[in-house]
Amino acid sequence: MNVLKFGGSSVATPARIRSVIEIIKPYLHEKKCAVVFSAFGGVTDILISLSLSALAGKIEYKDQLQALETRHLDAVRELIGIQKQSSIIAQVKFIFNELEDVLHGVYLVKERTPRTQDYIMSFGERLSAYIIAEALNDRGVKAEFLDARTVIRTDNNFGNARIDFAVTNKLIQDHFATHSILQVITGFIGSSASGETTTIGRSGSDYTAAIFAGALNASSLEIWTDVDGMMTADPRKVKKAFTVKEMTYEEAMELSHFGAKVIFPATMQPAMVNRIPIWIKNTFNPTFEGTVISEKSNGKNLIIKGISSMDKISLLSVQGSGLVGVVGVSMRLFGTLAKENISVILISQASSEHSICFAIEGAKTRHAKEAIEKEFLYEIRNQEMDHVKVEENLSIVAIVGENMKHNPGTSGRMFSALGRSGINVNAIAQGSSELNISAVVHEQDIAKALNVLHEAFFLSDRKVLNIFLVGTGLIGNSLLAMIQKQFEALAKQNHLEVQVVGIANSKKMLFNEDGLTLETAVNQMKESGEEMNLNAFFGNMIAMNLSNSIFVDCTSSEVVTEFYESILSSNISIVTPNKKANSGTYQKYQTLKSAAFKRGVKFLYETNVGAGLPVINTLNDLLISGDKVIGIEAVLSGTLNYIFSSYKAGDEFSDVVKQAKEKGYTEPDPRDDLNGMDVARKVLILSRESGLPFELEDIQVENLVPENCRGEMSVEEFFKKLETHNALFEKLRAEAESRNEKLRYMAVLRDGKTKIRLGSVNDKHPFYSLSGSDNIILLTTERYHDRPMVIRGPGAGAEVTAAGVFADIIRIGNYANG
Ligand code: ADP
Ligand code: ASP
Ligand code: MG
């Protein structure tokens, strides 16, 4: 005998019911089976809402009821041939009349007892199983509707009735002894000794199926649902979740206790007692093997089997001197809760016994607090105990697996993963069986918690990086193109999935938690994005609370950098070519470094100096390995290098600058290059990276903008005035040439001082042959003493800069998961 159960999602529409019938058919040829059905998807919730409307005196409940009736009648019309339809329609209408009567009663007397509520909820399963039984018959599968109230005997605890197994098993066995054709059974419902309808807990159809399987000593119990089995996490919350092929009853029970909705925890009990394997199968993918839950499980390679979560939790704590060493406090506390029918989800007690803290369902918070304070009235009055402390809007996340026992460090891995993502843990509990470790976190952190834990424990999977990009100019755009182009390769070779979840320019912004489509993202942002506002952008970025978030600043704005500290403090890494933050005050530079360090996130800015050239990383690598910087000489302005390397005899200096501007090598106002400030900022960053606590004023800069060309004036005016200085520049050039030297605008850091000036170098010097807009950096260190290390190449341009930014992003992705 096989017992099959189909959940609400498997029978939500007539089309789905037809596929369920196709799944059932082959079983009939092989061996006997019985099938249990839930109400059509969502119907139990509708029944609850109907009864609430009626209770509140809202006559609209009648429209809702009408819609529900139509849904069921439509199902009959779609599933059953025309000849038989009318009698079945009449029966369904008859059942709905009964429901209408009871709802009308609730509406009139404005009272709805738990008993009435159970009766109302029972209609969902009674209707679905009846209609499906008839549909089976209509398709040539001989079947009989079985109202489980006739065989499942429970107590009177409405809403959560307990099974009387002795009576139930006997009734089921007797029924099956006399009914040999396929039984189509209502899930979820039973009846008490006095014949009242009861329900056995939300999602209880799984339990119904297990009760039948146990009573009939079935060879297997199959739970058919809408996912590929029991997965490593809820696939709606963790996209990377995958099916676990085998697990033990204990593991499945633990996972479902903490919210893995696939199977109702109590289901395990009758199956376990009778050692019946439980299969979790997908109605929408019937050939897939799914998960088998049994006494033993292999899967030694998995330290944990799954991660689950429960929302709407409150944490209550009682504490006080009166609790220390007093026997029986816990008993009174938990006894009170049990008396009030409040179940405790998790308990954690400090070893000092000074406080006990436990989690309960959020809806029961007030009830629990009042009951406990009543029980401990005397202690509270005498100040031996404080008032019950309550923390609300929490969630529980639990990792589950039997192999934890054999793997020390599991909890370390769990809490460091949570910590690194900035998730605060309010309470921790570990089952003594070492089967689960659970943590209470804030509700808004739960999606992130599930994802980072999934990443930390199921390493084989890909890691997702979530990028927020501000600035979609040349660099930003090249970066987007690169991410798009490399997507597949990174996923395959580096197990990294780089998705861009937010972009903005100065006018508009656009977000998509599932990743924007990169080809069209910028246009889409321009057309349909919201108006850009930095506060809103960062507020949203932090509220989205995604794991591995990276903020990429491709602007050159100072205002954006003012948000860096709070971004890093929200556990979001930053990658940027924007120099403004690191060349602001030394204190700001330090603050950002330590904010990143404290939060275990990264602040990477390789492209602040020399665009994509590996300058800052190289310098850091040298210093980390114990080397010391003796001096740095560098040409760091692509623009100025272009100007001085193309300036030849016969040229007018002002024309050379003008041409550079026309070719797009300079800033819109070329004085922003000629004043040397851009170079000064780069040198300042290099000095700071080498350990010198410099401010911008400590850098001596030769300003190449002649005195009378400074201040307010248009660019045309500036060029006019610059012409009057051509002779001076020509003199410098000619003198250098006469010594066989070339002019270079260079920075020198030596003996704790930094100077930037226009000088000349001879053909022995590495700067001599520097051409175009290249940069060059000579690092003289204790190790690279006689011949300096040379880093040279294109030091400007959107492509190379974007590549450097991209490399920093991947560097963050490659940091170990821990
Ligand atoms: P049914 O209608 O078949 O009873 P449920 O909605 O009760 O189905 O349960 C199936 C749902 O359980 C899935 O759609 C999934 O979102 C959720 N779920 C939660 N945790 C897990 C998990 N670890 N593995 C698979 N599904 C899970
Ligand atoms: N229909 C019931 C519910 O929604 C029982 C079940 O589906 O398992 O809770
Ligand atoms: Mg279910």
Side-chain angles (χ1 to χ4, degrees), residues 248-261:
T248 63
Y249 295 118
E250 287 81 5
E251 287 171 331
M253 183 131 57
E254 210 72 15
L255 273 171
S256 51
H257 171 72
F258 284 106
K261 202 179 153 203

Side-chain angles (χ1 to χ4, degrees), residues 5 203 206 261-262:
K5 174 259 171 177
S203 297
D206 296 343
K261 202 179 153 203
V262 230

Side-chain angles (χ1 to χ4, degrees), residues 38-39 44 125 188 202-206:
S38 288
T44 310
E125 270 68 8
F188 187 46
R202 287 303 306 269
S203 297
S205 300
D206 296 343

Side-chain angles (χ1 to χ4, degrees), residues 705-751:
V705 184
E707 292 269 0
N708 70 342
C709 300
R710 298 178 195 172
E712 281 295 307
M713 69 183 77
S714 70
V715 176
E716 288 73 41
E717 235 175 296
F718 156 69
F719 273 118
K720 270 251 133 26
K721 286 202 168 147
L722 186 62
E723 284 171 15
T724 64
H725 299 277
N726 281 341
L728 176 75
F729 283 99
E730 177 52 25
K731 185 166 167 264
L732 292 172
R733 196 203 59 78
E735 275 174 15
E737 198 176 50
S738 69
R739 293 193 300 272
N740 210 11
E741 291 183 349
K742 285 186 177 172
L743 291 180
R744 293 287 179 252
Y745 190 68
M746 52 196 183
V748 178
L749 185 155
R750 196 168 278 276
D751 303 328

